[in-house]
Amino acid sequence: MDSVLDFLLTEPLASTPLDDAGAAWTRHRVAANRFGKPVDVAIAGGFGADRLGYAFLSGYQEAVRTLIPDLPADELVALCATEAGGGHPAAIRTTLTEDGGEFRLNGTKTFATLGKLAQRLVVLASVGAAEDGRNRLRATLVDARATGVHVTNLPETPFAPEIPHAMVTLTDVAAEVLPGDGYLDYLKPFRTIEDIHVLAAALGWLVRVAREAGWSQSVLERLLTVVAAVRGLDLDAPSSPGVHIALGGIFESVERLLAELDSLWASVDSVTGQRWERDRPLLGIAGRVRDQRLATAWRSVLPGENQAV
């Protein structure tokens, strides 16, 4: 098995531009054959991308596979949680019902990453209220081509427009129910798992940029340091306070490094530089929610103390 750190430093740079997300996925799959850990596949996939949006694709796909390891390796998969009221468990109104041993989904997901590109959907749905009034969730798998699935593409986002999003309407759709609690075992950990893998892929892409533009060995060393830090997070316990605290520190380190690298972007080819300026906000998505998780993590390990996060 290759060392992903050596790979980042020695792998030849792919010169063929990626025409669309399908081409990016094909290149990602080549990288996936060389590494065993999803986080390493995300890093290598990001390195192979020619823009941050396609690096996000690699990170997102490996995040879903960390959450659900048995997914088909060749399928693009989207996790569908967000509804009209948001992505909080209480906002999920899509229902999962059983009839004669068959499970059916009904509802609408208002923002599904990948849109019509997704071949399989991980759908979070409600099975009713618990005794304490909380919405009980289950995670399900759905074939995106199944009867009753209707996908409507949404307008392009201002950044990473190459990655489509869609509204997904489900009408009596047959579903495979996954084991465990939909919130505790899927929705809650995925938020952190996605942060980790998307950041890993973005760092892989930045190493590519650094090598292509001839940035210094010192810059490459610092980039590989944060890559190694991301790889060192305990992905078997994504909801643990320690992981959230360490991840908060890594994001802070990356932000400082990116600020220090601002002047170097003048040495990058103009197309890559323009895409970076356009797509950079991608790294700040869910920053407020991430900060809330970090504050909660600190409170859980240092109860009763004032934390300045």
Side-chain angles (χ1 to χ4, degrees):
M1 195 71 68
D2 291 338
S3 159
V4 75
L5 298 179
D6 289 346
F7 172 91
L8 290 175
L9 294 173
T10 61
E11 181 70 8
L13 298 169
S15 58
T16 306
L18 295 170
D19 295 329
D20 54 31
W25 177 236
T26 298
R27 188 175 292 178
H28 172 92
R29 292 295 308 132
V30 173
N33 290 331
R34 296 179 61 172
F35 298 96
K37 295 181 180 179
V39 68
D40 287 349
V41 177
I43 292 165
F47 178 83
D50 66 355
R51 65 200 74 181
L52 188 58
Y54 292 151
F56 168 84
L57 177 69
S58 288
Y60 182 81
Q61 287 304 298
E62 294 310 311
V64 178
R65 282 163 172 77
T66 297
L67 188 72
I68 308 171
D70 294 331
L71 289 170
D74 59 343
E75 289 188 350
L76 284 166
V77 183
L79 188 140
C80 303
T82 304
E83 299 194 9
H88 190 273
I92 293 178
R93 294 289 178 263
T94 294
T95 60
L96 175 68
T97 56
E98 182 182 5
D99 183 14
E102 293 186 350
F103 291 91
R104 298 282 173 177
L105 290 167
N106 285 276
T108 298
K109 300 297 181 180
T110 55
F111 193 82
T113 300
L114 294 183
K116 293 184 178 181
L117 293 179
Q119 297 156 286
R120 195 168 297 267
L121 309 175
V122 181
V123 179
L124 276 296
S126 172
V127 291
E131 290 183 3
D132 60 3
R134 293 188 180 185
N135 198 15
R136 294 182 300 142
L137 303 182
R138 296 296 301 270
T140 66
L141 279 180
V142 171
D143 186 334
R145 298 150 293 192
T147 301
V149 178
H150 183 71
V151 182
T152 304
N153 278 339
L154 297 172
E156 291 181 350
T157 52
F159 47 85
E162 302 90 350
I163 305 301
H165 301 82
M167 179 171 66
V168 179
T169 302
L170 305 150
T171 306
D172 288 328
V173 175
E176 173 190 348
V177 180
L178 296 172
D181 182 274
Y183 175 64
L184 295 176
D185 298 321
Y186 295 91
L187 185 57
K188 183 180 180 180
F190 183 72
R191 292 165 176 168
T192 302
I193 291 169
E194 182 184 21
D195 281 348
I196 292 169
H197 287 79
V198 169
L199 179 59
L203 291 169
W205 175 76
L206 283 167
V207 172
R208 173 199 176 94
V209 171
R211 285 184 52 195
E212 214 162 28
W215 292 354
S216 68
Q217 290 181 0
S218 174
V219 169
L220 286 170
E221 286 176 6
R222 295 175 70 191
L223 285 170
L224 258 67
T225 297
V226 284
V227 169
V230 172
R231 292 183 73 238
L233 292 170
D234 185 359
L235 286 167
D236 290 331
S239 297
S240 76
V243 167
H244 286 134
I245 291 167
L247 182 59
I250 292 171
F251 266 101
E252 185 178 349
S253 297
V254 170
E255 288 173 5
R256 287 200 303 268
L257 177 56
L258 291 178
E260 294 169 15
L261 297 180
D262 273 345
S263 62
L264 296 181
W265 284 92
S267 64
V268 173
D269 73 87
S270 60
V271 172
T272 299
Q274 289 166 7
R275 286 175 179 156
W276 168 243
E277 288 301 316
R278 180 196 67 188
D279 298 341
R280 187 171 181 167
L282 181 67
L283 296 180
I285 286 180
R288 183 179 62 82
V289 175
R290 191 162 50 243
D291 289 344
Q292 291 172 348
R293 294 200 304 265
L294 177 59
T296 300
W298 275 118
R299 284 194 297 270
S300 72
V301 297
L302 299 175
E305 297 189 24
N306 292 322
Q307 290 93 35
V309 178

